[in-house]
């Protein structure tokens, strides 16, 4: 299984990838991760490739081989589409991060509804207000944990909920554990709400 | 206890490639380690900074790679195991020492890690440092995975001690920054103090000794080649899904991360031919017999390697010398690219292109195509200076002083991002420490003032000699030393200007201002770049000064400051826009452009989650509309 995580520097893409990888290891699943470090922390694009089970070979996912995209930002999600299989699961935080370039008028941020529509045409997309839910659970810093909760509830990963929770606990300060669990649960609920919604519409 | 220090052989842990290498250095009993931080090797130093003391290892962040190399090399000459690691361009800085150490050799094992960066993820070039091994004559190894890297470090120390030569350990970004599982090995304790056995005929490289030592090295190379012939890291791999019926025997010679991409392709696609892979882990000296025999057993051989045609040129030469008719294809024939990093798709494309050239069409299964037409533009998101970054204040004040009329040689660090609009400062950049040297030359020929930028860590790295040069030769320019009290770009490592050393112990902090004055700079002024007026005035005075002048803009890195405040449990005052006072003139977004600013329609706002409270916006706004959120407000 191939998972791509993407976002903007400061979103916690690298840390989130690491949490999933550690959870996989706890469940005895073979894992390999490719990360990009360095300049990435200055508000630039950040991508990591997570490979599980028999796909855990090279660090980079080949084009059109990713099963899941966990995207922390809509424009960044768009950038990764060429890596996805048809019908791949896309879990998207719908909070945009418009860069300095766009503020200066050097580039134009695409309309979010256009992005969503485009992704929806080929992929199985779940969009969640992860940043807002993170603020609800205490701080926008936990956006990644909301996303993890959502990913866990989607049952797309062959990794147990307990292992994900344990991996999160091992990565956050003791005082922050409760609010992180809350963020995780809000993520789970967001996925369930979304599912219900889809059923209603259908 | 840090997980990399656990004495639990057999335990499996998930680590970054760089952490696997760090663990191996501890297992191998490395006694002295030294580096200058550089991505993609930085995490090795960051980790040793935390754990070396507990491991009983001496570790330092040296002023530059050459000093790091000399520090570690001397320990190995004395007889203990030593380790020096750097990014690829760092080896250029250390090359003077590296080339001659190959002549003297070492008595304790010495491994030099070079972290190459195909694709320039965080570098100014993508040079292929395998040629350093060829040029110097030292043996080289190249791992493909974290666990192989761990094992290969042990092997590198063994062969270093067997041949009494340093060993080059060559990685690439995707090796350093892969995360995978390693199995912990036994830890050998670091050495106690040793007695230095004098041997000046070997270790003092006056010409008469150097000539003799060169002969020793040349005699060693065939013996090291014999090692490569039987090295457990040079082996033939048969793919899991081997096609046994194909009428053509295809051999693939590869090394490093390219090996992973090759195996991935072979696992996914039946090329319709019989395939074997020669996976080379010890790549200098290259095993002539092994490569020849492998080529003899195949009808067509492809060399698959990122970077230059290193394996390809060697293979073609040997086959020619030995009159082996097997056809070898690679970069020189246009099937594989030289620039950028590889991935499974590029490797597959190269293989099919090569097979196609001999009349074999590969049936590549039509993978599920996504209707991805790129119809929505994807504007790039270039990295920018962080909110609250003191460099933004420096550049803003400077541009007011120069009124845009100046030439700006810049240097390597976060402040290089000043080239992005709206700052748009940075006209020439070659390498670490080059800004002051470039400024000297420019100041002799251009018709505008010359202002050079240099970070604090870069100043200590290679910035002092060009400043000495400028003062002595009377070059007329302003050197702006941007002191944010850390090596920020590579992850906040300490440097000689800070009161802490590599082991985390208290250290003498060297004052940049005093160094400049000591070097004879007649105009030295230190200002706070978060104070725009004061900074602008300092630049105006420095530009009016005839001769070399230095303006030190000193304010800590915003990320570091924020982290320290959070640790101390302190909250920061956030800034906001008073909508009644704002005249929507856009001066803030168009000239200062803090990433915390955003607009809805024509209205300006500051994102409180991004505001680092530097307070510069308050000085930038011509109408006093920006300021701290009043207590109890919003």
């Amino acid at each position: 299984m191939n998972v791509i995580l993407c976002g903007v520097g400061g979103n916690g893409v690298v840390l989130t990838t690491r949490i999933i990888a550690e959870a996989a290891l706890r469940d005895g699943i073979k894992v390999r991760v490719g990360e990009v470090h360095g300049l990435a922390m200055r508000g630039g694009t950040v991508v990591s490739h997570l490979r599980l089970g028999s796909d855990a070979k090279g660090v980079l996912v080949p084009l059109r081989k990713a099963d899941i995209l966990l995207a922390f930002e809509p424009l960044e999600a768009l950038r990764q589409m060429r890596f996805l299989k048809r019908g791949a699961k896309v879990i998207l935080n719908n909070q945009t991060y418009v860069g300095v370039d766009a503020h200066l008028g050097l580039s134009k941020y695409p309309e979010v509804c256009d992005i969503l529509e485009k992704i929806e045409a080929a992929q199985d997309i779940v969009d969640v207000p992860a940043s807002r839910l993170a603020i609800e659970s205490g701080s926008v810093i936990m956006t990644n944990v909301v996303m993890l909760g959502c990913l866990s509830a989607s049952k797309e990963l062959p990794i147990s909920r307990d292992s994900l929770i344990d991996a999160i606990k091992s990565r956050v300060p003791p005082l922050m554990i409760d609010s992180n669990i809350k963020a995780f649960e809000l993520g789970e609920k967001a996925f369930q709400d979304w599912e219900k919604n889809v059923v209603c519409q259908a | 206890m840090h997980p990399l220090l656990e004495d639990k052989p057999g335990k499996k842990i998930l680590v970054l490639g760089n952490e696997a290498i760090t663990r191996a250095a501890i297992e191998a009993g490395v006694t002295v380690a030294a580096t200058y931080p550089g991505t993609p090797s930085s995490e090795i130093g960051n980790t040793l900074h935390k754990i070396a003391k507990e491991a009983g290892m001496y570790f330092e962040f040296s002023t530059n790679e050459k000093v790091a190399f000399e520090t570690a090399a001397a320990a190995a000459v004395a007889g203990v195991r030593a380790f020096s690691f750097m990014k690829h361009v760092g080896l250029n800085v250390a090359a003077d020492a590296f080339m001659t150490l190959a002549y003297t050799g070492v008595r304790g094992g010495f491994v030099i890690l070079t972290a190459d960066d195909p694709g320039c993820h965080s570098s100014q070039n993508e040079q292929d440092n395998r040629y350093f091994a060829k040029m110097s004559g030292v043996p080289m190894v190249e791992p493909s995975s974290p666990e192989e890297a761990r094992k290969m470090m042990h092997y590198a120390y063994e062969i270093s001690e067997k041949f009494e030569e340093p060993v080059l350990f060559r990685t690439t970004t995707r090796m350093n920054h892969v995360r995978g599982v390693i199995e912990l090995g036994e830890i050998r304790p670091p050495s106690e103090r040793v007695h230095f056995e004098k041997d000046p005929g070997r270790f003092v490289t006056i010409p008469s000794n150097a000539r003799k030592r060169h002969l020793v090295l040349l005699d060693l190379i065939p013996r090291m080649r014999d090692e490569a012939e039987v090295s457990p890291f040079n082996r033939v791999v048969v793919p899991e899904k081997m096609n046994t019926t194909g009428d053509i025997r295809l051999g693939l010679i590869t090394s490093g991360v390219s090996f992973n991409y090759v195996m991935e392709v072979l696992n996914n696609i039946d090329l319709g031919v019989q395939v074997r892979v020669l996976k080379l882990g010890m790549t200098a000296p290259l095993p002539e017999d092994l490569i020849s025999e492998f080529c003899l057993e195949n009808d067509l051989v492809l060399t698959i390697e990122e970077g230059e045609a290193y394996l390809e040129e060697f293979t073609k030469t040997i086959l020619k010398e030995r009159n082996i008719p097997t056809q070898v294809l690679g970069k020189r024939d246009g099937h594989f690219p030289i620039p950028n990093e590889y991935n499974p798709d590029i490797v597959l494309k190269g293989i099919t292109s090569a097979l196609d050239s001999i009349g074999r069409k590969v049936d590549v299964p039509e993978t599920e195509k996504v209707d991805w037409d790129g119809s929505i533009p994807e504007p790039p998101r270039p990295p920018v200076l962080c909110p609250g970054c003191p460099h933004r204040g420096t550049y803003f004040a400077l541009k007011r002083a120069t009124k845009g009329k100046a030439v700006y040689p810049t240097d390597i660090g976060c402040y290089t991002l000043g080239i992005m609009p709206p700052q748009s400062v940075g006209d020439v950049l070659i390498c670490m420490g080059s800004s002051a040297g470039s400024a000297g030359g420019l100041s002799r020929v251009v018709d505008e003032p010359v202002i050079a930028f240099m970070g604090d860590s870069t100043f200590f790295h290679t910035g002092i000699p060009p400043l000495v040069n400028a003062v002595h030769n009377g070059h007329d320019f302003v050197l702006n030393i941007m002191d944010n009290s850390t090596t920020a770009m590579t992850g906040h490592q300490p440097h000689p200007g800070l009161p802490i050393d590599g082991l985390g112990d208290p250290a003498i902090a060297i004052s940049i201002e005093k160094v400049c004055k000591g070097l004879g700079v007649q105009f030295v002024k230190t200002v706070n770049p978060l104070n725009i007026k004061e900074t602008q005035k300092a630049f105006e005075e420095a530009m009016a000064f005839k001769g070399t002048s230095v303006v030190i803009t000193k304010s800590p890195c915003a990320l570091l400051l924020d982290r320290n405040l959070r640790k101390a449990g302190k909250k920061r005052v956030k800034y906001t826009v008073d909508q009644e006072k704002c005249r929507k003139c856009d001066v803030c977004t168009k000239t200062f452009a803090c990433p915390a600013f955003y607009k809805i329609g024509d209205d300006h706002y500051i994102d409180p989650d991004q505001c680092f409270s530097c307070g510069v916006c308050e000085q930038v706004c011509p109408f006093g509309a920006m300021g701290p959120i009043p207590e109890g407000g919003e």
Side-chain angles (χ1 to χ4, degrees), chain B residues 448-493:
Chain B
E448 283 178 324
V450 176
I451 323 272
F453 307 115
M454 187 180 286
D456 41 351
S457 193
T458 307
F459 175 73
F460 291 110
H461 180 277
T462 32
I464 297 173
L467 184 55
V468 171
N469 182 69
V471 172
H472 177 70
N473 291 305
H475 294 320
D476 183 13
F477 65 83
V478 182
L479 176 64
N480 173 206
I481 301 174
M482 309 174 91
D483 181 357
N484 59 1
S485 303
T486 186
T487 317
M489 185 64 116
T490 46
H492 298 124
Q493 295 83 0

Side-chain angles (χ1 to χ4, degrees), chain B residues 281-352:
Chain B
M282 183 173 173
T283 47
L286 278 162
E288 292 180 9
D289 294 343
L290 189 64
I291 290 174
S292 304
E293 282 158 24
F294 181 75
C295 291
L296 268 174
E297 288 164 6
N298 287 291
D299 304 304
L300 172 68
V301 168
L302 311 182
T303 46
I304 304 178
E305 53 190 326
E306 285 178 337
E308 305 293 330
Y310 174 85
L311 299 174
E312 179 183 351
E313 282 171 0
F314 182 85
T315 304
K316 284 178 170 169
T317 307
I318 290 302
L319 262 49
K320 184 84 181 160
E321 275 178 19
R322 298 188 175 192
N323 285 321
I324 296 169
T326 308
Q327 190 179 9
V328 179
L329 297 173
K331 297 171 197 277
R332 294 178 60 85
D333 315 281
H335 300 296
F336 294 92
I338 289 175
N340 223 333
E341 64 174 356
Y342 281 12
N343 57 40
D345 299 292
I346 289 175
V347 168
L348 175 62
K349 204 173 152 208
I351 294 173
T352 52

Side-chain angles (χ1 to χ4, degrees), chain B residues 509-536:
Chain B
I510 294 157
S511 154
I512 295 176
E513 184 173 308
K514 282 185 186 163
V515 170
C516 293
K517 285 180 175 164
L519 296 181
V521 181
Q522 300 297 309
F523 181 104
V524 183
K525 196 155 200 181
T526 302
V527 290
N528 177 3
L530 302 183
N531 183 328
I532 298 298
K533 268 195 189 142
E534 182 194 19
T535 307
Q536 183 183 340

